[in-house]
Amino acid sequence: MTSARLLAAGPVKLRAQSLQTCRDRQVHSVVGCSNQQRNSTLRWGRRPATKVEAVSEEVVDSVAGNGAQNGNGTVPHTATIKQSTLSVHAGESGGRCKVADSLTTPICCTSTYYFQDTAELIAYQEGRYGSYEYGRYGNPTTRVVEEKIRELEGAEDCLVSSSGMNSATTMLLALVPAGGHIITTTDCYRRTRQFIQTVLPKMGVTATVLDPSDMGALEQALEEHDVSVYFSESPTNPYLRCVDVPRIAELCHAKNTPICIDGTFATPINQRAIDLGADLVLHSGTKYLAGHNDVLAGAICGKSDLIAQIRAMHNVLGGTLDPHAAYLMLRGMKTLGLRVEHQNKTALEIAKRLEHHPKIERVHYPGLPSHPDHHIAKEQMKGFGGVVSFEVRGDLWTTAKFVDGVRIPYIAPSLGGVETLIEQPTVISYWDQGPEKRAAYGIKDNLIRYSCGIEDIENLWDDISQSLEQI
């Protein structure tokens, strides 16, 4: 057989530049050269490894005849090594092909990682050898996602998980002890509120719920309680309220209370809350980060000591991000800046036009001077986001008629993707709550949440206009 680019060598020790970089970030060498192309032991004993400098079409021939030579050495075909064993190990057990020159990050599909010997395992356990142990504790593909988000947010560390809610609940369970106290804000994602109000009380955890702009109430709550964490979205869902992060940081840090800001609606393109004083930033990666409505993911980043606590809880609870989903996030984040810039412009223009439309009662968008937190948004944000909330002049069914009348957006409960989405929160998120509970949460029957995609702005506006004409 011809093996164009294979050069026989002694055992490969991947220790220099690429491996050192991996170790610095606690990243295993799987992406650089899987498992160091080291010697492996099967029933036929140890074999010399080979160094793979490149991979040609001729690297692997069929497993047949008296022996099968591959990129990792010769696997003897003997009476003791059966076909079933070869089907598992041949071509892989001596080391995988070099993939460090791949332009895109490879998808590392493995549930576990092996060690050459006990000494290497002990070195890993003592932090002297950079690797992974088990898929729930880390993966090279997902680690690249964490590094990308960490740098985008200017954080010390990052942890990704299977959804935004998983990141939020894991963070709260990790940082809030039994009998602890949380401060949060009135306008927030329904499931976050549900977890704080129905699950955490089983642990004796209590909460103070404040208007996002009420600094006096925040000071009072910090005086009256030993607060475990302050947690708020900014902008919030669905009214896009913005909290004064520097002022909140000043008040909370004086009481040694960590601050977590959910920046899903902002993205790190528009706002870096850590630069403003936050200790942690949380994202539903499903939304703008991934950006294509095809993956569920969550992320939390910030101070390394806090992320370490959250990671320890994550390792117990699970909620691991699949490496395929991690790859989709990586692909999506390549165009994050381009998408968000377009969505910012589209949302601002639509908000301005809606504010002057006779069939619109009120527009909620932090980029408008009429928004109660416009002054905060101007100080903290480079752009105001791609979501516009507004109230139609009419009742529930008039509003529903408008929703049904648009032709471009999909009626769906999400945001931040390339497709424009529209929803009536009363129907899609709070229908089971009844009018009284919806009123208590501030959810109006005529409220619309409109998440701009990357379509042409004039097409979107013409579509909105024609639907408004029908009501």
Side-chain angles (χ1 to χ4, degrees), residues 16 115 123 144 146 174 248 374 379 383 415 420 469:
F115 298 86
V144 175
E146 291 171 342
I248 291 167
H374 177 64
E379 290 292 324
L415 59 108
T420 294
E469 289 173 4

Side-chain angles (χ1 to χ4, degrees), residues 20-99:
Q20 188 58 49
T21 300
C22 290
R23 285 180 171 180
D24 289 344
R25 296 292 185 198
Q26 291 299 300
V27 178
H28 188 24
S29 58
V30 168
V31 175
C33 190
S34 179
N35 298 311
Q36 300 178 282
Q37 298 189 353
R38 54 180 165 250
N39 297 335
S40 63
T41 303
L42 293 175
R43 291 187 181 180
W44 51 80
R46 288 194 179 273
R47 316 170 281 190
T50 58
K51 179 181 178 181
V52 181
E53 291 196 343
V55 179
S56 73
E57 297 86 352
E58 301 170 321
V59 167
V60 180
D61 283 347
S62 60
V63 180
N66 294 326
Q69 189 175 24
N70 58 35
N72 306 299
T74 299
V75 179
H77 192 275
T78 69
T80 58
I81 308 303
K82 305 296 185 181
Q83 293 293 85
S84 59
T85 302
L86 289 172
S87 67
V88 174
H89 297 288
E92 295 182 286
S93 60
R96 277 68 171 172
C97 295
K98 177 182 177 183
V99 293

Side-chain angles (χ1 to χ4, degrees), residues 1-24:
M1 135 179 181
T2 302
S3 299
R5 290 290 192 87
L6 297 180
L7 301 176
V12 176
K13 295 184 178 180
L14 199 60
R15 290 291 186 269
Q17 298 173 348
S18 61
L19 181 58
Q20 188 58 49
T21 300
C22 290
R23 285 180 171 180
D24 289 344

Side-chain angles (χ1 to χ4, degrees), residues 380-394:
Q380 296 182 173
M381 304 180 74
K382 295 179 180 178
F384 303 110
V387 175
V388 182
S389 294
F390 56 94
E391 299 168 32
V392 173
R393 199 175 297 279

Side-chain angles (χ1 to χ4, degrees), residues 304-330:
S304 56
D305 58 335
L306 296 176
I307 297 297
Q309 295 179 56
I310 299 166
R311 192 182 298 276
M313 180 63 72
H314 170 82
N315 289 347
V316 173
L317 298 178
T320 307
L321 184 67
D322 179 82
H324 293 87
Y327 176 82
L328 289 175
M329 281 196 72
L330 284 174

